[in-house]
Amino acid sequence: MPEIKVTPLGAGQDVGRSCILVSIGGKNIMLDCGMHMGYNDDRRFPDFSYITQNGRLTDFLDCVIISHFHLDHCGALPFMSEMVGYDGPIYMTHPTKAICPILLEDFRKITVDKKGETNFFTSQMIKDCMKKVVPLNLHQTVQVDDELEIKAYYAGHVLGAAMVHIKVGSESVVYTGDYNMTPDRHLGAAWIDKCRPDILISESTYATTIRDSKRCRERGLSEESARKHRKRRQGKRVGPQTVSLSDHLSVQSSFQERMNLKAPIYFSTGLTEKANHYYKLFITWTNQKIRKTFVQRNMFEFKHIKAFDRSYADNPGPMVVFATPGMLHAGQSLQIFKKWAGNEKNMVIMPGYCVQGTIGHKILNGQRKLEMEGRATLDVKLQVEYMSFSAHADAKGIMQLIRMAEPRNMLLVHGEAVKMEFLKGKIEQEFSIDCYMPANGETATVTTNPSVPVDISLNLLKREMALGGPLPDPKKPRTMHGTLIMKENSLKLVSSEQALKELGLNEHQLRFTCRVQLQDPHSDNDTLHRIYTHLKSVLKGYTIQHLPDGTVMVESIVIKVSSSAEDANTKVLLLSWSYQDEDLGSFLSTLLKKGLPSGLC
Amino acid sequence: MLDCGLDTTSVLNFLPLPLVHSPRLSKLPGWVSKDGTLNLEKELKECTGRVFVDSQPEFCLPERELLDLSTIDVILISNYHCMMALPYITEHTGFTGTVYATEPTLQIGRLLMEELVNFMERVPKAQSATCWKNKEIQRLLPGPLKDAVDVWTWKRCYSMQEVNSALSKVQLVGYSQKVELFGAVQVSPLSSGYSLGSSNWIIQSHHEKVSYVSGSSLLTTHPQPMDQSSLKNSDVLILTGLTQMPTANPDGMLGEFCSNLAMTIRAGGNVLVPCYSSGVIYDLLECLYQFIESANLGTTPFYFISPVANSSLEFSQIFAEWLCHNKQSKVYLPEPPFPHAELIQTNKLKHYPSIHGDFSSEFRQPCVVFTGHPSLRFGDVVHFMELWGKSSLNTIIFTEPDFSYLDALAPYQPLAMKCVYCPIDTRLNFHQVSKLLKEVQPLHVVCPEQYTQPPLTQSHRSDLMLELQPPPMPYRRCSVLNLPFRRRYERVYILPELANSLVPSEIKPGISLATVSAVLHSKDNKHTLQSVPKPPPMPPSKKRKRVIEEPPVVLAPKPLLSGAVPLEAFLSTLQKHGITEVKVEETADGHILHLQAEDTLIQLEEDGTHIVCDNNEPLRTTLRDLVLRFLQKL
């Protein structure tokens, strides 16, 4: 039985370091190659030695697919391809290919330049790695080799986020990456067709939550800042952000207009500025409304938002700053946070999920004393708010996607074990399909049961369909007969006659003749007629003919009558049939041996 | 339906639609036949010996009579120029099918349609000329009106509402996306390299493949390069959309375009470029971007005037996925893929929706104006013709190949303005096509009749036609062509349960056979075979005898047999089963075995075996099984 094996090297019952190995139809595919924000040691990257102990991965992987540009999905890519060694194709969408190297470079700078780590990938390695990238278009079927094909679907998580359908023969797997089932201000909702994969590998970050609409949360963010503004003229605020921050900028921008808010709004330069350019150029990846109106009004040009400079952090008066990264684990957002943490008038709004180990995670859990590098501690007095803007599917969304794709099995990754457990129960109950949730390094094996594709001769098919009628009777299915010819790699189903012809074989006729003696005091002709009437009454649904040449035919079985030489009342019946009618012939000879019933006319 | 383009050359028979009142046009004399019997002066006007219809211009539609349009399931669009007749096909015809096109094709196609509607509706013309279309009257008109075909089917332009409704039937597809149609065939668009989102189509089943090659280019311009390798192994390749200018080299034309433009500007004249608002104009602007500085034209204003100018320029920048590699990599920086963004930013290129409004106040001469429509019959270009036509300082440069420039200029004669004809048609020429066909090797080529002979005007140029072995199958308007392949096989799926129950036997080295008895299920043109369900267990019968009398229920014919029964081996097998008294008699075709104790005859021949056995059913079945041992079943 063919099997599909799925092994997470990261994101198995965990969030972060997404990296999932899939073996399907003799092909090995790596889905995502991310880093873990919560670790600074070896655990930050997936354990590639699981694939092979000795070095390069090229021989062991047919392709690598990156779902989107977030570092927990692509952060380990240059390490994997350039330091461990992989030269095969890496697939990602155009926007991901555009934005991913910038985030990697940023990540590298923070790690090497700021933290001083040495054994890390270089800028050149990022470039070399990106040269191996093959861009994917939505819905394009990409033939990785003769057997393996992949197709990307819109995932709506960030710009360029994709789900992938991986197919070998008639077996297939769908990997969702991170996705969102409700359209938001800028992105559309994830969509997939009814592709019925053998396994659907889904993220499950919000496996147990059902969230209100994003519009409500956006209003929340704005009102929060308005309240601050009215009550505390001295208030300051930090809103850490991820790259999808165009979102928040546009919310705030339009809000400021409406509320006549005077406090300046800043966003951190560099990354974010570029990010907006990407949104402009990849407008086809945003939602319907933006695409329709972009000629008149580009959503990504903001009137009220100014670029942030480090020195502004000490400016007097309230201000709003959007800064990255969103989990406060490094970079500008962390710097500003450290500066402002001591004042209870300030506030930080965490816009999304924070991985365990990050400062974001700690303060969300109510920790008020933070241990910083060099044994210093930081008292957190500012207010901490959580408003989830990260575009993940919630439980409802995950169920919705299952309904869309109709998978035969479900496999959960990118979530916490307890939450997964809950969702697994729900899925198994509602859809009656198996749901797996392997931990890192653990393999889930799914046995598939593929149908065998065969070429049927059109003659045979048409004959069969004509006989079956337009609406076949489900109670009385017609049986079709044919011969399957297996030659090299081809499988052809043809009628038996055609098979004989094609293979140049002679047909061998096997015939049987059987004489049956019968006591019947009538003329030969009458006896024959009596046989005809008898068989008519016994054999329903068979073709029975009384032919003028003195024979009775039942299907292709011939019955003749002659009188015995000695006794005119003893009749000799001659039955003759071919092997193809063996069952009927055998039945008839047995039946007629019992004689004809009296009372036949 | 493969494409539905609009023949717009019909508009050349009409008078131009001026944006502002033109005394010259309104003073043109009406036409009266020489003998005075035919007076159509209201409908027909004469200008320097040519006769034009004074009415809203009309288009020649694709054939609509030959078939019932409501029976069309699918329309495949290859590029935005080939969809301009869509509203005529999908609206008010009962059409309920789906149209497939790529996203740039849809968006830019919409812009071109919008522009066309706008050009027409901006200058409404109350009069609709119909008398001249009368067969008897048309016969008496001067050429080329006399020779215009199917004039009674010509139609006025559609409305925006019809455009929107037609385009709502479009389903977007991406390159190499496989789209299943009714389970029967799969269609897939491939990059054709001609324009943004332009595609060739593959239509295939499991065993047959038809390629539709339309409007393709091998030149490096802005679109993604042509995908040639996917066209391989086609049974039939339908070839159309070759260059209309087989003798003009696009690069040379581009050079001529630039030098004429510079020359006119330097002499203080204006340059008018009648063009479509998407397509070659992007390449022209890119070419000018590099040329402006070197030719010292930095201060010359360039104007692009069209109701969709802004949209066209904006849209071109957001289709990175559909662009050539160079432009794609610009987006990664991130920079706009086309340099016209910079031309706009530096105010070298300005775009306006029409000559009214801002343009009239900002307009400076000498300048270069890109505007439509290239037929010179409607759109803002009409105004510039009236404005600049009288001065020999000005130049009109034709770049679009769709219209004969002499015909286009006819209603403006006499003209003092210089005319330069440098048509830029990047589509395949005959040389490129024969190279391509050698590469992809289709079994048969189907093409328009025109490609099978040299052009009428250059009948000696045998290099301007398709010469192939086997010769291409030509088609002409309204002809019906049978594609030369016979379908022999169809795909069927054997369900795992049935597949596991099959018993293959090797009949020749490398060839195995298995007999299959199965139930066929056909749904949405997908066929599956599954095991024959086991009959429900017989209800326990009270009389055992009755059971025997039941005739066999399932009519399951036995397999065919093949091979021969070897005499010696058969005899020894008989012996093993206790049949020893066998008398063998040789006949012409084989042997007759007389089983004396059992009073049974077996006739063994090369291609048949006949068992004559009376009154001994157990023996007969034993013999049967022994014979079967030596034979192969099919």
Side-chain angles (χ1 to χ4, degrees):
Chain A
M1 274 297 179
E3 285 174 344
I4 303 177
K5 290 185 173 165
V6 182
T7 315
L9 295 186
Q13 303 182 3
D14 186 17
V15 178
R17 202 178 62 184
S18 280
C19 183
I20 296 134
L21 298 177
V22 172
S23 296
I24 172 172
K27 308 282 170 187
N28 298 317
I29 298 120
M30 180 186 284
L31 301 170
D32 280 338
C33 190
M35 53 87 74
H36 203 295
M37 320 273 189
Y39 298 116
N40 282 320
D41 51 20
D42 281 351
R43 289 171 295 172
R44 143 175 83 196
F45 292 146
D47 178 12
F48 297 112
S49 67
Y50 177 91
I51 304 172
T52 172
Q53 294 288 344
N54 358 320
R56 303 183 70 78
L57 304 175
T58 314
D59 295 340
F60 299 90
L61 292 176
D62 291 277
C63 73
V64 174
I65 302 169
I66 302 295
S67 65
H68 64 284
F69 59 66
H70 280 157
L71 288 176
D72 59 329
H73 292 260
C74 70
L77 197 58
F79 174 77
M80 193 273 303
S81 74
E82 306 310 308
M83 298 175 80
V84 180
Y86 169 74
D87 298 322
I90 301 169
Y91 293 95
M92 54 178 82
T93 65
H94 284 272
T96 308
K97 187 183 170 190
I99 299 169
C100 169
I102 296 170
L103 293 188
L104 286 170
E105 182 57 33
D106 198 54
F107 175 38
R108 190 199 65 80
K109 264 190 204 150
I110 290 170
T111 320
V112 178
D113 298 354
K114 297 248 167 75
K115 293 190 190 152
E117 281 190 41
T118 45
N119 188 21
F120 206 72
F121 52 78
T122 61
S123 297
Q124 188 55 45
M125 286 179 182
I126 298 176
K127 282 184 192 135
D128 291 342
C129 167
M130 294 315 289
K131 281 184 195 141
K132 297 170 186 171
V133 171
V134 183
L136 271 180
N137 291 333
L138 280 186
H139 301 165
Q140 171 194 22
T141 307
V142 174
Q143 218 63 51
V144 176
D145 57 36
D146 286 346
E147 288 149 347
L148 172 62
E149 60 177 52
I150 57 177
K151 178 177 179 183
Y153 290 92
Y154 191 78
H157 173 62
V158 286
L159 194 70
M163 310 193 278
V164 274
H165 183 239
I166 300 147
K167 195 174 158 205
V168 180
S170 49
E171 296 173 277
S172 65
V173 169
V174 168
Y175 173 59
T176 64
D178 293 353
Y179 63 105
N180 186 14
M181 293 300 284
T182 45
D184 65 19
R185 183 171 276 266
H186 295 141
L187 300 170
W191 178 86
I192 195 163
D193 51 23
K194 208 178 280 299
C195 52
R196 299 199 174 92
D198 291 297
I199 309 178
L200 174 64
I201 305 175
S202 170
E203 66 133 326
S204 49
T205 323
Y206 292 119
T208 54
T209 28
I210 291 172
R211 298 179 303 162
D212 53 4
S213 83
K214 198 161 175 179
R215 194 49 63 90
C216 292
R217 276 170 282 138
E218 285 174 356
R219 208 178 311 126
L221 173 69
S222 301
E223 269 157 17
E224 200 67 31
S225 59
R227 218 180 63 218
K228 290 278 126 43
H229 188 72
R230 278 193 300 273
K231 283 189 183 161
R232 304 172 201 173
R233 293 265 147 193
Q234 289 304 309
K236 293 177 182 174
R237 212 162 55 90
V238 191
Q241 270 309 329
T242 53
V243 166
S244 69
L245 89 170
S246 306
D247 236 27
H248 310 253
L249 293 178
S250 66
V251 175
Q252 282 293 356
S253 182
S254 59
F255 179 76
Q256 193 174 34
E257 236 166 287
R258 258 195 353 249
M259 298 297 285
N260 194 23
L261 214 65
K262 290 282 167 19
I265 302 175
Y266 298 111
F267 67 95
S268 56
T269 44
L271 259 188
T272 28
E273 210 173 358
K274 265 190 170 174
N276 274 333
H277 277 296
Y278 285 118
Y279 266 90
K280 272 187 243 171
L281 292 171
F282 287 110
I283 216 125
T284 50
W285 285 79
T286 57
N287 69 27
Q288 199 86 31
K289 201 181 147 208
I290 295 185
R291 272 155 53 183
K292 265 198 173 149
T293 55
F294 91 101
V295 176
Q296 288 80 37
R297 175 173 172 265
N298 200 317
M299 280 290 277
F300 303 104
E301 275 154 21
F302 309 116
K303 282 190 221 155
H304 305 283
I305 316 275
K306 289 166 225 136
F308 183 74
D309 184 274
R310 202 188 285 188
S311 61
Y312 294 178
D314 299 319
N315 283 1
M319 68 176 85
V320 180
V321 177
F322 291 84
T324 55
M327 298 188 197
L328 288 178
H329 56 280
Q332 198 167 39
S333 63
L334 184 60
Q335 277 176 17
I336 304 174
F337 174 78
K338 282 193 216 160
K339 260 199 177 109
W340 293 355
N343 189 340
E344 71 280 359
K345 281 180 183 165
N346 295 336
M347 170 183 259
V348 60
I349 298 182
M350 305 302 294
Y353 186 89
C354 289
V355 166
Q356 197 156 20
T358 59
I359 290 187
H361 185 260
K362 286 176 193 159
I363 58 170
L364 279 179
N365 280 338
Q367 208 171 315
R368 285 319 214 167
K369 267 203 191 322
L370 297 173
E371 283 168 33
M372 307 309 283
E373 289 138 46
R375 271 192 243 147
T377 55
L378 182 67
D379 282 319
V380 180
K381 291 196 183 132
L382 90 179
Q383 304 165 63
V384 179
E385 284 280 344
Y386 175 72
M387 245 173 245
S388 167
F389 285 93
S390 63
H392 289 279
D394 57 6
K396 213 166 92 192
I398 296 170
M399 302 301 258
Q400 207 179 331
L401 189 78
I402 299 177
R403 234 163 276 138
M404 267 184 174
E406 287 192 0
R408 297 194 179 87
N409 296 278
M410 191 69 197
L411 193 145
L412 300 177
V413 294
H414 200 283
E416 291 157 31
V418 191
K419 294 182 180 173
M420 277 187 183
E421 201 72 62
F422 171 80
L423 186 65
K424 173 179 146 83
K426 267 193 80 161
I427 291 170
E428 287 177 335
Q429 184 193 351
E430 187 160 331
F431 299 103
S432 317
I433 56 174
D434 288 332
C435 183
Y436 303 82
M437 40 175 282
N440 287 335
E442 202 174 276
T443 301
T445 306
V446 171
T447 329
T448 58
N449 217 353
S451 306
V452 183
V454 162
D455 296 334
I456 186 170
S457 110
L458 213 57
N459 287 338
L460 180 62
L461 182 71
K462 279 190 177 157
R463 190 175 73 192
E464 198 53 36
M465 285 172 65
L467 287 172
L471 282 173
D473 182 354
K475 281 185 198 149
K476 268 166 106 189
R478 253 191 66 82
T479 311
M480 180 185 113
H481 299 276
T483 302
L484 189 63
I485 306 176
M486 291 166 254
K487 197 161 129 191
E488 282 150 23
N489 282 329
S490 86
L491 292 174
K492 285 198 289 187
L493 182 62
V494 298
S495 64
S496 305
E497 292 84 355
Q498 196 184 337
L500 277 177
K501 235 197 218 151
E502 277 191 23
L503 297 171
L505 299 175
N506 66 321
E507 189 188 341
H508 191 101
Q509 289 276 353
L510 177 57
R511 284 198 76 81
F512 304 95
T513 301
C514 186
R515 273 170 301 194
V516 177
Q517 295 209 342
L518 205 64
Q519 288 299 316
D520 198 42
H522 295 277
S523 75
D524 291 359
N525 249 334
D526 284 355
T527 307
L528 194 65
H529 189 75
R530 282 160 54 79
I531 290 170
Y532 172 73
T533 324
H534 177 49
L535 292 182
K536 263 275 197 219
S537 71
V538 177
L539 295 172
K540 300 275 191 265
Y542 287 86
T543 330
I544 304 170
Q545 296 164 284
H546 187 172
L547 298 174
D549 66 348
T551 54
V552 165
M553 292 269 290
V554 182
E555 299 292 329
S556 68
I557 299 172
V558 182
I559 304 170
K560 284 185 179 165
V561 177
S562 60
S563 301
S564 154
E566 298 100 54
D567 177 10
N569 286 343
T570 310
K571 306 289 180 199
V572 180
L573 307 187
L574 198 73
L575 276 83
S576 178
W577 68 91
S578 74
Y579 175 64
Q580 276 66 40
D581 278 324
E582 167 68 7
D583 289 344
L584 187 59
S586 164
F587 169 79
L588 280 184
S589 66
T590 319
L591 177 77
L592 290 174
K593 262 175 226 162
K594 291 183 198 123
L596 298 175
S598 50
L600 267 180
C601 59
Chain B
M1 180 182 269
L2 304 174
D3 283 330
C4 51
L6 194 58
D7 182 356
T8 45
T9 53
S10 58
V11 301
L12 293 175
N13 294 299
F14 292 79
L15 268 194
L17 289 179
L19 275 174
V20 284
H21 178 74
S22 156
R24 185 187 69 86
L25 285 173
S26 55
K27 276 187 204 139
L28 287 177
W31 181 82
V32 183
S33 69
K34 280 200 185 98
D35 54 3
T37 49
L38 205 56
N39 186 339
L40 287 172
E41 50 184 9
K42 284 233 172 69
E43 291 199 350
L44 303 178
K45 305 282 176 191
E46 219 170 331
C47 177
T48 55
R50 286 272 288 263
V51 175
F52 296 95
V53 182
D54 186 13
S55 164
Q56 198 186 70
E58 294 180 334
F59 304 117
C60 181
L61 269 50
E63 180 60 40
R64 301 203 295 178
E65 304 299 316
L66 195 64
L67 69 160
D68 178 358
L69 292 178
S70 68
T71 61
I72 291 178
D73 297 308
V74 166
I75 302 179
L76 305 180
I77 303 291
S78 55
N79 61 64
Y80 46 77
H81 287 300
C82 291
M83 63 188 290
M84 296 301 282
L86 203 58
Y88 294 119
I89 302 295
T90 62
E91 303 311 300
H92 321 298
T93 57
F95 175 85
T96 54
T98 313
V99 183
Y100 289 95
T102 62
E103 179 158 14
T105 300
L106 171 69
Q107 300 299 2
I108 296 174
R110 181 192 295 278
L111 293 183
L112 294 182
M113 288 179 176
E114 234 175 77
E115 185 185 48
L116 203 60
V117 173
N118 192 294
F119 283 160
M120 296 293 184
E121 290 183 353
R122 222 159 40 169
V123 273
K125 207 153 190 163
Q127 170 170 300
S128 178
T130 49
C131 292
W132 70 277
K133 289 186 181 182
N134 184 307
K135 249 187 201 160
E136 290 307 306
I137 294 174
Q138 196 201 354
R139 209 163 48 86
L140 303 170
L141 298 178
L145 268 186
K146 184 173 73 175
D147 309 313
V149 285
D150 293 348
V151 290
W152 57 91
T153 66
W154 290 9
K155 282 267 167 357
R156 311 180 76 169
C157 188
Y158 32 73
S159 69
M160 209 50 223
Q161 192 188 355
E162 285 165 328
V163 170
N164 287 332
S165 167
L167 295 183
S168 71
K169 296 170 175 105
V170 175
Q171 182 97 35
L172 294 182
V173 283
Y175 286 151
S176 308
Q177 178 177 349
K178 294 176 179 170
V179 181
E180 282 272 329
L181 299 184
F182 319 106
V185 289
Q186 204 177 52
V187 297
S188 178
L190 306 174
S191 175
S192 78
Y194 169 54
S195 60
L196 264 178
S198 69
S199 27
N200 293 321
W201 289 85
I202 302 284
I203 306 160
Q204 62 185 341
S205 66
H206 282 287
H207 299 282
E208 296 83 19
K209 176 169 172 180
V210 177
S211 307
Y212 172 56
V213 174
S214 155
S216 304
S217 176
L218 292 171
L219 301 179
T220 337
T221 56
H222 59 275
Q224 210 182 95
M226 177 181 182
D227 178 354
Q228 299 180 53
S229 58
S230 305
L231 297 172
K232 282 182 182 165
N233 303 321
S234 300
D235 295 288
V236 173
L237 187 143
I238 304 171
L239 178 70
T240 181
L242 299 188
T243 177
Q244 302 191 53
M245 296 292 142
T247 49
N249 168 14
D251 278 333
M253 289 293 141
L254 210 54
E256 215 166 296
F257 170 81
C258 288
S259 62
N260 276 296
L261 185 140
M263 222 145 53
T264 308
I265 296 291
R266 281 195 204 112
N270 299 296
V271 177
L272 178 61
V273 187
C275 62
Y276 292 115
S277 27
S278 179
V280 175
I281 184 168
Y282 302 142
D283 297 316
L284 291 179
L285 290 175
E286 179 152 11
C287 175
L288 288 173
Y289 170 79
Q290 294 155 357
F291 180 71
I292 285 175
E293 295 306 325
S294 65
N296 222 353
L297 296 173
T299 52
T300 312
F302 286 77
Y303 300 114
F304 176 20
I305 302 169
S306 156
V308 298
N310 185 25
S311 301
S312 164
L313 294 172
E314 288 283 344
F315 268 111
S316 67
Q317 304 288 21
I318 65 158
F319 290 126
E321 280 110 315
W322 309 85
L323 293 173
C324 64
H325 188 259
N326 266 342
K327 297 221 172 324
Q328 238 173 47
S329 39
K330 279 201 155 184
V331 181
Y332 297 149
L333 295 177
E335 275 171 23
F338 282 97
H340 55 241
E342 201 186 314
L343 287 177
I344 295 169
Q345 228 170 21
T346 53
N347 265 330
K348 288 188 176 117
L349 174 69
K350 293 186 177 189
H351 53 82
Y352 301 91
S354 88
I355 54 163
H356 301 299
D358 291 347
F359 176 71
S360 46
S361 53
E362 291 168 21
F363 173 50
R364 281 190 297 122
Q365 303 194 67
C367 64
V368 181
V369 170
F370 295 88
T371 188
H373 186 271
S375 66
L376 309 189
R377 291 303 179 272
F378 43 84
D380 301 276
V381 73
V382 176
H383 178 74
F384 289 99
M385 285 305 292
E386 295 289 328
L387 191 69
W388 292 345
K390 301 283 167 287
S391 163
S392 60
L393 278 180
N394 301 328
T395 306
I396 177 168
I397 310 181
F398 290 88
T399 56
E400 302 288 350
D402 282 358
F403 303 92
S404 141
Y405 77 105
L406 288 175
D407 289 343
L409 290 172
Y412 299 98
Q413 297 295 358
L415 267 179
M417 185 182 208
K418 261 182 291 184
C419 299
V420 178
Y421 188 52
C422 23
I424 298 172
D425 194 334
T426 57
R427 287 174 287 184
L428 297 176
N429 59 35
F430 287 101
H431 176 68
Q432 292 166 327
V433 141
S434 43
K435 225 176 122 194
L436 171 78
L437 291 177
K438 241 175 236 154
E439 192 81 5
V440 304
Q441 296 201 321
L443 289 183
H444 299 277
V445 173
V446 172
C447 68
E449 202 176 26
Q450 294 89 305
Y451 298 166
T452 60
Q453 58 218 22
L456 282 177
T457 49
Q458 289 155 300
S459 53
H460 61 288
R461 292 287 299 266
S462 62
D463 57 326
L464 298 185
M465 62 179 278
L466 271 186
E467 271 182 298
L468 297 171
Q469 242 0 285
M473 306 177 61
Y475 65 85
R476 65 182 79 86
R477 187 167 178 144
C478 291
S479 71
V480 176
L481 207 64
N482 283 314
L483 295 188
F485 53 63
R486 251 191 71 204
R487 299 185 56 225
R488 290 172 198 275
Y489 288 99
E490 181 77 79
R491 186 48 64 96
V492 70
Y493 291 89
I494 299 188
L495 292 188
E497 190 200 349
L498 174 63
N500 290 335
S501 72
L502 295 180
V503 192
S505 60
E506 190 166 36
I507 201 146
K508 284 181 182 175
I511 303 178
S512 300
L513 295 181
T515 54
V516 179
S517 290
V519 177
L520 174 71
H521 287 271
S522 298
K523 202 164 97 186
D524 298 337
N525 289 314
K526 293 272 172 245
H527 312 289
T528 53
L529 286 175
Q530 65 180 53
S531 309
V532 180
K534 292 203 180 69
M538 284 282 194
S541 181
K542 281 170 197 158
K543 285 186 273 176
R544 277 189 70 90
K545 226 177 95 193
R546 285 291 306 167
V547 180
I548 305 163
E549 275 181 26
E550 286 293 330
V553 196
V554 189
L555 217 170
K558 297 287 181 200
L560 293 183
L561 301 173
S562 176
V565 183
L567 179 68
E568 293 306 322
F570 184 62
L571 284 176
S572 68
T573 314
L574 285 179
Q575 209 153 21
K576 272 183 211 146
H577 285 78
I579 303 167
T580 46
E581 272 182 71
V582 183
K583 200 177 126 201
V584 181
E585 189 184 317
E586 202 157 328
T587 65
D589 300 314
H591 300 87
I592 293 178
L593 279 54
H594 190 192
L595 280 51
Q596 287 169 323
E598 295 81 8
D599 191 23
T600 291
L601 286 174
I602 302 174
Q603 195 177 342
L604 288 183
E605 281 170 12
E606 188 62 32
D607 55 0
T609 301
H610 193 173
I611 298 173
V612 184
C613 171
D614 307 331
N615 276 328
N616 193 344
E617 186 64 14
L619 174 68
R620 190 188 68 81
T621 52
T622 312
L623 290 174
R624 178 193 71 195
D625 294 340
L626 292 181
V627 169
L628 286 177
R629 279 192 196 177
F630 294 96
L631 298 172
Q632 286 149 340
K633 299 175 192 71
L634 290 172

